[in-house]
Amino acid sequence: MKRPVSIKDIGRIVGVSHSTVSRALSQSPVVNADTARRIRQVAREQGYRASLIGRSLVMRRSMTVGCVVTDIADPFVGGVVDGIEKVANQHGYAVFLASSHADPKRELDVVRSFHERRVDGVIVPSSRVGFQYLRHLSALQIPVVLINNQHPGEYTYSVNIDNLEAARRLTFHLLELGHRRVAYIGSRQGNQSDADRLSGYRSVIREARLPFDKDLVVHADPTPEGGRAAIKRLLALRRRPTAVFCYDDLTALGVLSAARSAGIEVPGDLSVTGFDDLYIASYTDPPLTTIRQPMREMGGRAAEILLGLMRGEAAKSVTLSGELVVRASTAPPQVLQAVRAR
């Protein structure tokens, strides 16, 4: 059986020390770029496979990153984690995944357990603890980066979507189509993202000099079941909405299903929008108008911030923009369509 190639073997071929080989393979910036490329080329040619245990001992790191998600079944989580893994893997790190079930206490417990398992850093999408991590960092002694912090308050190391501006863009789209009875179905979980999206919705309604009708705002579980229950309440109003802005795409799925069951045409009788642009949004009937969150980019940027912090580099929060994706679930209200048809 052929002996595995070691970093000492690669060093002899290239003519450098084994420590230089180790640094080059771990993407260290202290190695000359041309030398690093030559080392990586030789490593590929020789079929070199790094020993994680040996590398960890040399670097005094576990080469692992912990990721605490609210629910592993959430499609949004899948996109974010994919972005985290891509960047982490490029730098030789493995990602450990655990679920908090949106429970703040469990979230902190999982982060502490990751610390006990000697992970080098932690990323928390949709954190329910948020800025409270500031007082835990000294005890944890590892960096923590948040994605879409759901707890009110600033946190130094985070990646967020501009929920308020995205909600404004989506609401303006509906008003621009001619809708004047626009409902908002939010999340009853008390998320910061819900507060920001509701604020964006209300600001556009106010700027359009339309009366704010509290009956048009309903909060429910951000699930298809929650969407079904919420739209039934809205459709029971004496003056029904002609359009509805849903907190997320999963809520919008329930709205589309309930509308179909009630014989309400979308977008003829009711325009429906979501938020996230999950992969299912383009396959609903009709395809869903929504806000696209750059999920993979958010995960990747969080991983880059975390890796920088582990190298002792300075970092700051990043806010990304959402993109309005207009599909067939929104159209002018029927009254306006009839006027235009004359």
Side-chain angles (χ1 to χ4, degrees):
M1 184 175 176
K2 186 178 178 181
R3 181 178 65 83
V5 177
S6 69
I7 59 173
K8 290 183 178 180
D9 296 326
I10 296 171
R12 277 194 292 270
I13 295 171
V14 179
V16 296
S17 67
H18 69 274
S19 59
T20 299
V21 174
S22 178
R23 292 190 188 97
L25 295 177
S26 61
Q27 311 291 327
S28 173
V30 302
V31 181
N32 175 274
D34 291 336
T35 303
R37 277 194 292 272
R38 172 65 177 149
I39 289 170
R40 287 193 286 270
Q41 179 185 351
V42 170
R44 286 193 298 271
E45 292 171 351
Q46 296 296 318
Y48 171 74
R49 294 184 65 84
S51 164
L52 183 59
I53 294 174
R55 190 174 172 188
S56 299
L57 290 171
V58 170
M59 301 182 68
R60 296 183 181 180
R61 293 180 181 171
S62 66
M63 303 305 295
T64 58
V65 170
C67 182
V68 189
V69 301
T70 52
D71 184 351
I72 58 174
D74 186 338
F76 177 80
V77 166
V80 170
V81 171
D82 187 52
I84 293 171
E85 282 194 317
K86 183 177 180 181
V87 172
N89 292 166
Q90 286 173 348
H91 291 81
Y93 283 81
V95 179
F96 291 163
L97 199 64
S99 176
S100 69
H101 306 296
D103 179 347
K105 182 180 181 303
R106 177 170 169 77
E107 180 184 320
L108 271 176
D109 288 344
V110 172
V111 171
R112 291 191 184 104
S113 73
F114 274 148
H115 173 238
E116 291 167 0
R117 286 169 171 76
R118 298 294 187 266
V119 300
D120 299 318
V122 176
I123 298 175
V124 188
S126 301
S127 172
R128 265 52 179 185
V129 179
F131 76 96
Q132 294 181 26
Y133 277 113
L134 290 172
R135 67 171 182 260
H136 295 289
L137 290 179
S138 59
L140 292 172
Q141 295 183 325
I142 55 172
V144 177
V145 176
L146 309 183
I147 301 175
N148 274 358
N149 178 16
Q150 296 299 331
H151 192 285
E154 295 291 330
Y155 181 71
T156 310
Y157 313 122
S158 60
V159 177
N160 300 292
I161 188 81
D162 191 340
N163 281 293
L164 192 146
E165 183 54 38
R168 284 180 55 83
R169 195 172 301 130
L170 193 57
T171 308
F172 182 77
H173 164 68
L174 295 171
L175 296 188
E176 195 174 36
L177 289 173
H179 293 281
R180 293 299 177 265
R181 294 280 293 169
V182 179
Y184 174 77
I185 299 177
S187 168
R188 74 164 108 211
Q189 294 180 348
N191 303 340
Q192 183 62 35
S193 56
D194 172 68
D196 291 340
R197 291 171 198 177
L198 177 57
S199 180
Y201 157 85
R202 292 192 64 166
S203 69
V204 172
I205 296 295
R206 182 176 60 252
E207 290 168 14
R209 300 184 183 280
L210 294 173
F212 175 71
D213 187 345
K214 60 180 176 55
D215 291 335
L216 290 177
V217 176
V218 178
H219 283 81
D221 290 331
T223 62
E225 294 76 16
R228 285 183 64 89
I231 195 62
K232 286 178 181 177
R233 286 178 56 186
L234 291 168
L235 294 177
L237 295 174
R238 186 177 60 84
R239 293 181 61 215
R240 291 179 172 181
T242 61
V244 57
F245 170 177
C246 297
Y247 170 77
D248 63 7
D249 290 349
L250 294 179
T251 300
L253 280 182
V255 171
L256 292 173
S257 174
R260 189 178 304 110
S261 298
I264 293 172
E265 293 186 6
V266 176
D269 301 317
L270 181 72
S271 284
V272 179
T273 70
F275 203 107
D276 286 342
D277 195 31
L278 304 178
Y279 73 92
I280 52 174
S282 59
Y283 295 100
T284 57
D285 183 20
L288 187 66
T289 293
T290 187
I291 290 290
R292 176 176 295 155
Q293 293 206 64
M295 296 172 276
R296 286 168 179 78
E297 182 183 357
M298 295 171 78
R301 294 289 287 274
E304 289 169 358
I305 291 173
L306 187 70
L307 291 169
L309 289 170
M310 291 190 296
R311 291 192 294 265
E313 298 171 4
K316 60 181 180 179
S317 295
V318 174
T319 300
L320 303 175
S321 297
E323 177 189 353
L324 174 63
V325 181
V326 178
R327 298 194 179 100
S329 68
T330 53
Q334 280 191 338
V335 172
L336 192 55
Q337 291 183 46
V339 170
R340 290 175 177 174
R342 290 175 186 170

